[in-house]
Amino acid sequence: MASIKASLKAINDAIRQQKWDDALAQADNLISRDPNNYQAHVFRAFVLDKKNILELAETAYQTAISIRSDAQPWQGLIKLYEKQGPKAIPKYQLAALKLAEIFRDANEMYKCQDVVDKFIDFARARGDRGQYVQALHLILPDSPIYPALEGRVPHPAKTYETIAQILEVDEKKRINTLIGERRTRLGAKLSEVTVEVNREVLCQSELCHIYEQLTLWAQDDDVRRQYEEKLLQFRYDRLLVTTAPNKAAELEVVQKLANDMVIIKHPYKLAWDIAIEWRDHKEIKDWDVNVLNEYCSFFPDSDLYRVLTGFMTSDLSPFPKRAAETPAPVHTSETGDESEDDEDGGAPTSVIPYTDEDRLLMMTEGISTTKSLLAHRLMGEYYQHLEEHESNVELMRKAMKIMIRETEKTGKVFTNANQSFMLYLGTALVFYQSPRNHGEAKFLFDKVLEIDPASTSAMIGVGLIYEEEEEFDQAIDFLGRALKGDSGNLRVRAEVGWLYALKGDFARGKAELESLLPSMIRASVSRDLLAQTQYRLGCCIWNLDTSKSARKSRSGAYAYFLDALKSNFNHAPAYSSLGIYYADYAKDKKRARRCFLKAVELSSAEVESAERLARSFADDGDWDRVELVAQRVVDSGRVRPPPGSKKKGISWPLSALGVAELNKQDYAKAIVSFQQALRITPEDYHSWVGLGESYHNSGRYIAATKAIQNAQRLEESADSSDLGDTWFTKYMLANVKRELGEFDEAIALYHKVISDRPDEEGVAIALMQTMVENALSCVEKGLFGKSVELATGALSFALTVPIHIAKTFNFWKAIGDSCSIFSAVQGHAHDFPTNGIRKLLNLGTEDESTYAALRDVDGVGKEVVFAKGIFADDEQLGVDLTRILHAAILAHKRAIYESANDIYAQAVAYYNLGWAENRAHLCLPPELRVQPSRYQKAAIRCFKRAIELEAGNPEFWSSLGVVTSEVNPSVAQHAFVRSLFLNERSAHAWSNLGALALLQNDIKLANEAFTRAQSNDPDYAHAWLGQGFVALMYGDAKEARGLFTHAMDISESSSLLTRRQYPTLLFDHILTNPPNLNVTSLIQPLFALAQLRSLDPQGLAYQHLSTLYQERTNDNPRAIDTLERACEQLEASYEATESAESLAQFSLAKTDLARSYLAASEYAKAVDCGEMALQLSSDESDNELTAEQRRKARLSAHLTVGLAEYFSKNVGAAVSYFETALDESSSNHDAVCVLAQMLWATGTDEARERARTVLFDVIEKDPSHVQSVLLLGIIALLDEDEESLDAVTSELQTLRTSHKVTDAEHSQIGEVFRAVAALSENSTEDDILSQLQNEVMLYPHLPHGWSRLAEFSGEEHPADMALKVALKAIPPRGELGAVDLADAYAGTGKAADAQVAIFIAPWSSSGWESLGGAIAS
């Protein structure tokens, strides 16, 4: 023993001296001698620790502990574990616990606490979060040392809260990490991975226990409630991911937790949702109303609150109504931004609906986003009550999907909710798209009856299916079988009684229903069922005795209808029946309307009430209310029967909607409504008429025509008494035809209507306006005679209308426009019905101010129109025109008078009067328009007044600019700019601005303005015409000609300016002798001048121009007629005014007339006119002819008289005139050629020599003059002068290559060469053929060479080629004439081609000769 102590002392000394090896050796020696020596093991462990041999040291300490559990080895272990760091924390925790227990047992509490605190601090500082949580378990109540440390360590609630916070974060992080790792696996789905990871983590989690302990230990109620919420949420989350077999236990726990929180009224929404939703009561009334009310108080912003509140405040609610309460204010922390609402804690968030509309809106808003099964049950009940079957079908399908998902998630089976959903869905499907969904509805009801065979709703649902299908016997049979199992079911018995009534057995139905009433009253059934039964009983009584006295009796059906309302004030069918009673029997329209209105408000299914109400509103003209009523019926879904239904559709609501929208001018919607009505009732006459009117007003005229024609077909087959007035369809069709421009048909239809309804103001005015529009259209198309006839017809019809129509603005506007037709077509001014217009102007003229407007300015009164007298022929046109203009002005003044009470109509009347005054100004002679006339001043006043009345009309401003353009350009510019500001896309205004710029010589602005006009309206002719003037001012005549031509193509026939400028510019071009001019180029200007003559018969200059065109088209008779009348007018003008200008015009006209007489072979007249022209154009005469004009006129006159004398066989005089012409014209080459031919024709040697001489003179001056060379060649051939012939031939060869020679001249040159080849002394056929072939080679594109070759050779190919070439050379690609083309056809020698040749040029002999030869051969 002493040796052992000595050894221990030696070990201790070695340790003190830090001789670790010696100490270790001695300790080992001692242990070998005494293995159970506790102190030796402690020393050994200590030494090993110092030598940093930790594992052996730990073993040594444990050996010592096994020998004796004392504080020292545990303390050594703790030091050892502290050195090892975080990996030794679990061992450290065990050692700390054992050491603490030792200190506890030794009652050394401070040491005990110190051990635990140091360990927890070490775990917090050196360990991870999980180790720290495990360390905290030492100071929790379930720790063995907690009783000793209680009060010395933090409260368990604090510790548990710390642990909970750590675990919450760690588990969330772990879940996210695992999901991120596993979602990348092949075939993994995120939803499945999420569920799997949550199940794994939550099922292993310690949080559930921590939360439970927190709820037990927490001293603060808020903290306790917080962790109760977390516990419920945790349990609920774990329930969602738990496998199906284990869900039942979890479900029970979750439901208990939720119910406990509801019991203590803790406002945690999940708990309340679970407690309410998972009740799954059979009836809605089984829910605890107090719980529901408290839920609404706690959660006023939830979706379920909206549905609950809406339902519980409705009459459908089985719960007692609660008094309106003001929600407690919600206190919020104060901020720097405060408002008045914040002073009382903020605005309340709960809302209580007071009207059915608000209630439905609130419930709809709530159900749209909620997944609450109770909310869907309540909404389904409410929709069923409102008969919103379509909405209910959609809602219940959605609810059943939500229920299935909820069952899958929680394991909760909602049997009663499923039953309710199937009932609601089945009932809705009975009525929605009946009978298409009846099979599904019956299946749902059968499923309900399998679970609950006594379900009244299901039995009635099946009965309703048969009832909707009108299979009343089967419905009675089914409900009868249902009654066998439940004979006391009053609702089913009531439905059976009603089925008898629907079947037509009103007596039995009455008996059945009467027998039920006492039982229902005793049983206190629902108000709806009692009211429905009383109403149905009333219907049976109503239909049993249909006599007026019986139905009028207040003790019969009427009494039951009232009883039904007493039982249920909101029973809509009872109101409908009472309305019919008041309307048809009590004759109380006011009460009837109130009943119908109430019925429609309560139920959109009351179609008859709605129809009667709509008709009542329509009679009052209240179309807004008609639309509301009709729209309510349409929205009810009862308008269109689904496919397969035996019920007929209802079209009147859609027709009523169409009429209401038509009155609101919403034509697109009206069209849709009428179309839908016609799909339901294709034979609805009034819908066809309304559809036609809607199409017409929306501008769809073709569709309008078809619709109205359908209505007219119904008129033929239907009874006229059922259709009412049918004249409106003719009137509407006439309106459509008018809009389509088919004025003649429209006028005929208006006449048909007016013959039946002569006093119809709208029809009469429409007829007059259509006739005027037709007349204006005819003027634009060039049908001037028809336009005058229509204007005359309009004025004649105006005399037949009733006097009250004559007092309207539109009537006098039509009169004024009719008179303006005659001023536009002045060639028919003599057709103006003066007597008729006098009668019209005298209609209703009792008031002196009728025509007083602006009389002090324009001086226009009735005097000129009513003046009578005989006037000279040359004055008659002016008198007629003045009378026409004054009549138009007076008519528009009368329109101003009649529109005194309509500011907009008066503005238009002043506008029309302004144009009439301006028209009168423009019809004045040019010399009187130099200064502003009284008409122009009046026009300016009119347009200013129109602008005062309606300043926003761009046309008024543009018109003011037009009439002030010459008077005050600055005002005109302002007016045009203002007009363009109001409507910048007006081509008229831009063109007017361009014209003003031209007048002011601002070419750049004019060009820009006309360009804008063209871009805005490419079909506006005056814009192109203005561009033409700009081109002329720039000197580009070709561009101007093209623009004028395009303007002519697109302009109306009434465009005077276009018809003046186009022929003038084209004639200037003709005078330049262009190479590509042909006769077709003269047709359009001739037509233009002919129209101009009808429009302005006083324009002598343009009539004279037309004769120049006629002369070039060989229309000599018309040219002579025109020139004779022009000469008469010019002579009369000269005699009256002695104007030098008139004398000059007369001189030129006589010159042209002489030429026309010559062309018509009236030689004596030609000589007379020509000599007079020569006298008038002499140098001594006093006229204003320029030198060039005089030279050309005298040359023409001399040549004309010379030719006339020649054809009159007075050759000497003819030669004399020609020589004089040559002297005065400096030997005009063409005149010399004519003289040479004339001299040669005399046959004298002297004359022929003279002919040779003058031709040689021409060639000396102009070797390129083709006609002179050709004549010399012919003369040389006839004289057989070989020398001259060679010279001529050489010259012709040169001319053949000249580009100045025309195609006709090429043909003449070729003819001369052929003659030379044929008439030469040694000529052969080969020479002639060679010459012809040369011509073909030189000019293969001309038919003449091919024709001559064919004629000479007799071959078909040249003739065919001649025809092909000729066809390509005719206009517009060439200039070949009709005779040449006919010759080409005739040259083929075929009978068919010969006939074509005759058709093309019947005056040419070639076609006839070819036909004769073809027949002979």
Side-chain angles (χ1 to χ4, degrees), residues 462-718:
V462 177
L464 286 175
I465 293 175
Y466 292 125
E467 182 181 322
E468 281 292 309
E469 294 176 352
E470 298 183 2
E471 300 289 348
F472 302 122
D473 291 332
Q474 295 184 38
I476 292 171
D477 178 63
F478 180 84
L479 293 179
R481 284 189 283 111
L483 283 174
K484 291 178 182 178
D486 185 9
S487 59
N489 194 319
L490 298 179
R491 188 177 178 188
V492 176
R493 290 178 60 189
E495 202 65 36
V496 171
W498 180 239
L499 285 170
Y500 282 119
L502 291 176
K503 188 180 175 183
D505 191 351
F506 297 108
R508 184 168 180 179
K510 173 176 176 289
E512 291 282 347
L513 294 172
E514 275 183 331
S515 65
L516 290 174
L517 277 181
S519 302
M520 288 184 174
I521 295 173
R522 287 195 303 270
S524 300
V525 297
S526 68
R527 294 179 302 162
D528 286 341
L529 179 58
L530 180 59
Q532 185 184 64
T533 305
Q534 290 169 330
Y535 162 74
R536 289 175 172 180
L537 179 56
C539 289
C540 292
I541 296 171
W542 181 270
N543 289 292
L544 271 175
D545 189 352
T546 58
S547 64
K548 186 174 182 180
S549 58
R551 289 190 169 181
K552 195 173 182 180
S553 173
R554 289 181 177 264
S555 60
Y558 173 81
Y560 284 101
F561 295 148
L562 283 182
D563 288 343
L565 291 180
K566 291 175 183 176
S567 299
N568 183 2
F569 192 69
N570 294 323
H571 194 260
Y575 283 107
S576 296
S577 298
L578 281 177
I580 296 171
Y581 170 82
Y582 286 126
D584 297 346
Y585 299 97
K587 304 302 179 185
D588 190 341
K589 301 295 183 184
K590 187 175 181 181
R591 282 189 176 181
R593 174 182 282 194
R594 289 169 61 188
C595 288
F596 292 140
L597 185 60
K598 185 66 175 177
V600 174
E601 286 178 356
L602 290 172
S603 174
S604 58
E606 298 303 312
V607 178
E608 186 171 0
S609 291
E611 182 175 5
R612 287 178 178 253
L613 189 62
R615 292 186 184 277
S616 174
F617 288 144
D619 293 338
D620 297 341
D622 191 348
W623 294 107
D624 289 337
R625 292 190 177 184
V626 170
E627 182 180 10
L628 287 174
V629 173
Q631 189 63 55
R632 181 161 174 75
V633 178
V634 171
D635 293 342
S636 71
R638 294 178 174 270
V639 172
R640 303 178 189 83
S645 175
K646 296 181 181 179
K647 294 185 177 181
K648 292 183 179 180
I650 306 170
S651 63
W652 72 261
L654 295 165
S655 296
L657 268 181
V659 175
E661 288 155 352
L662 193 58
N663 278 276
K664 289 166 58 179
Q665 299 183 357
D666 194 346
Y667 304 122
K669 290 184 178 179
I671 289 171
V672 173
S673 297
F674 285 126
Q675 286 176 335
Q676 291 174 342
L678 289 168
R679 290 191 189 100
I680 296 172
T681 311
E683 304 300 318
D684 187 353
Y685 170 78
H686 296 288
S687 291
W688 280 115
V689 175
L691 180 61
E693 186 175 0
S694 302
Y695 276 136
H696 167 262
N697 292 334
S698 60
R700 299 168 64 180
Y701 302 118
I702 302 300
T705 303
K706 294 179 180 178
I708 296 171
Q709 288 173 345
N710 284 331
Q712 289 180 332
R713 279 195 289 271
L714 292 175
E715 291 176 6
E716 297 171 1
S717 59

Side-chain angles (χ1 to χ4, degrees), residues 1159-1176:
S1161 301
E1162 298 183 17
Y1163 305 123
K1165 292 182 179 180
V1167 171
D1168 292 340
C1169 285
E1171 289 178 345
M1172 180 177 289
L1174 289 171
Q1175 293 173 8
L1176 294 173

Side-chain angles (χ1 to χ4, degrees), residues 987-1008:
H988 298 71
W990 281 110
S991 297
N992 291 335
L993 180 60
L996 178 65
L998 283 178
L999 291 174
Q1000 301 303 312
N1001 205 29
D1002 189 345
I1003 302 176
K1004 182 178 180 182
L1005 175 60
N1007 184 43
E1008 293 176 357

Side-chain angles (χ1 to χ4, degrees), residues 313-325:
T313 56
S314 70
D315 295 332
L316 191 62
S317 172
F319 306 117
K321 302 291 187 298
R322 61 169 177 164
E325 298 177 357

